[in-house]
Amino acid sequence: MAPPDDPAPREDDPGDDAEERGPWRRCVVTRARLPKEQMIRFVLSPDRVVIPDLAARLPGRGIWLSARGDVLEKARVQGKLVGYFARAARGPVTVQPDLPDTLRAGLSRRFAELLGLTRRAGQAVAGFQKAREWVRDGRAGLIVQAADGSEDERARLLGGRDLPVVAPLDAASLGAVFGREHAVHVAVTPGRLADALRAEAGRIAGMALPGPASPGGAADRRHDGSPGGAGGAGDDKRTGWPDVPANGQGVDERTG
């Protein structure tokens, strides 16, 4: 899906103030129009503090930023980030100095919460053996692997099948979702929750700063290592899942 035609922005461009509708939004830094799933929404608190709205549900006019760590970091280092938000808000604002870290932590927590919801809905299993059974039986539409997992183990799990793989969390964080010490492999059934997990993993990958790649990586990838596309990119979808605790209770599974 291609973005709508968008001439070069002007200083009086009303795009930031336009009514929020449709799947596209404009980044206040780059001025590019992107699908909402590839961006982060912000709103102003009553005292004009810029607040991340990761679920895109808070009231008020949204201010949108590309979910890209390099964009955020460059604007912050150049001392222009407050100015970008102030321009969009048409007035003075306060931006938390730890905003990048807050966003990355919030997105990771949100992914864990969504994965916990997926588990409770019976649409996700953890452990190599159970995940491999779902893959073999054609029940898996998405694989979530620990970021510190092995590429060789991922290939053995998939057995040559072409499935999207995301790896936004480490084994300890994945394990916490399933009420265990650690988890490396998770299989998820196809559907709306799997699509939402891919979209969230894409935002986490985008917010990562350049540096040595972690095993598996956070980006959405196919089993052969080729990009699997941005989950949900271009679709006019709202995830709309409730805020739920990430940790499961009473799950007794072996990783295999």
Side-chain angles (χ1 to χ4, degrees):
M1 181 176 180
D5 293 337
D6 188 22
R10 307 183 306 272
E11 285 302 312
D12 60 348
D13 193 329
D16 290 330
D17 289 322
E19 183 180 353
E20 293 180 8
R21 56 187 172 188
W24 300 87
R25 297 291 183 270
R26 171 174 288 169
C27 174
V28 297
V29 175
T30 67
R31 309 297 291 166
R33 292 189 184 276
L34 297 170
K36 292 181 295 185
E37 291 81 2
Q38 297 177 20
M39 306 187 76
I40 297 173
R41 184 178 188 263
F42 297 83
V43 296
L44 294 182
S45 70
D47 52 354
R48 300 188 67 81
V49 176
V50 175
I51 303 296
D53 178 20
L54 300 181
R57 290 199 299 252
L58 294 177
R61 187 177 62 83
I63 301 172
W64 294 80
L65 180 71
S66 303
R68 286 177 46 189
D70 59 337
V71 169
L72 182 62
E73 185 65 13
K74 182 177 180 180
R76 188 188 66 80
V77 170
Q78 293 179 344
K80 297 180 180 180
L81 187 60
V82 174
Y84 285 125
F85 279 114
R87 176 178 178 271
R90 301 279 178 95
V93 299
T94 299
V95 177
Q96 300 171 356
D98 60 346
L99 182 61
D101 291 338
T102 298
L103 289 174
R104 283 187 278 270
L107 289 170
S108 295
R109 183 169 57 251
R110 182 167 171 79
F111 184 92
E113 291 171 351
L114 176 58
L115 185 58
L117 177 63
T118 306
R119 178 191 69 81
R120 289 190 291 278
Q123 298 183 35
V125 293
F128 185 89
Q129 296 297 343
K130 290 187 176 182
R132 184 164 64 175
E133 288 176 7
W134 278 31
V135 171
R136 186 176 59 242
D137 296 343
R139 297 178 60 189
L142 173 70
I143 298 298
V144 180
Q145 184 183 25
D148 45 352
S150 161
E151 290 189 13
D152 290 341
E153 283 295 291
R154 180 175 66 195
R156 189 162 72 90
L157 173 75
L158 293 170
R161 291 170 177 81
D162 186 22
L163 289 173
V165 179
V166 297
L169 304 179
D170 60 24
S173 298
L174 279 182
V177 176
F178 290 85
R180 56 203 295 177
E181 187 174 344
H182 72 278
V184 179
H185 304 98
V186 175
V188 181
T189 58
R192 182 168 173 266
L193 289 172
D195 292 342
L197 284 167
R198 290 183 69 183
E200 290 302 319
R203 293 205 295 178
I204 293 172
M207 287 302 299
L209 292 176
S214 60
D220 183 0
R221 308 188 70 83
R222 294 288 174 172
H223 74 279
D224 60 358
S226 61
D235 297 334
D236 188 12
K237 298 178 182 178
R238 299 294 291 267
T239 52
W241 55 81
D243 293 327
V244 292
N247 292 342
Q249 295 292 333
V251 180
D252 184 15
E253 297 177 344
R254 300 184 64 85
T255 55

